[in-house]
Amino acid sequence: MCNGHMDDISDLIDKIFYGPGSGLICARIIDDIQKAVIIKALERSYGNRVQASKILGMHRNTLSGKIKKFDIDVGRFKR
């Protein structure tokens, strides 16, 4: 039964990656995942960008650029 669900998921992924407009959809999915991971790192570091960048393994300036791109309010994570 579990394999049936995995087949459904695999079919859905194929539609996303190979369907019309797939480039835009894939970029949006990647952005959504990246934003969620950045938010989680900021939560864990209480909004400390240096600590969050270490958690994520990216340069602080790269993180700052992504925070701006995704319009993340870092102040909400500070304690």
Side-chain angles (χ1 to χ4, degrees), residues 16-31:
I16 291 169
F17 278 88
Y18 302 113
S22 62
L24 297 175
I25 294 169
C26 292
R28 192 171 43 200
I29 291 169
I30 290 167
D31 281 352

Side-chain angles (χ1 to χ4, degrees), residues 31 34-35 38-39 42 49-50 52-53 56 58-74:
D31 281 352
Q34 195 171 48
K35 181 178 180 180
I38 289 169
I39 287 172
L42 288 167
R49 292 177 192 222
V50 172
S53 67
L56 296 167
M58 68 174 63
H59 193 276
R60 182 182 48 85
N61 292 339
T62 302
L63 175 60
S64 291
K66 291 182 183 296
I67 287 170
K68 186 174 183 175
K69 173 183 177 181
F70 297 129
D71 194 31
I72 298 171
D73 177 16
V74 178

Side-chain angles (χ1 to χ4, degrees), residues 8-23:
D8 292 342
I9 292 169
S10 180
D11 290 342
L12 178 62
I13 290 170
D14 283 345
K15 286 179 186 176
I16 291 169
F17 278 88
Y18 302 113
S22 62

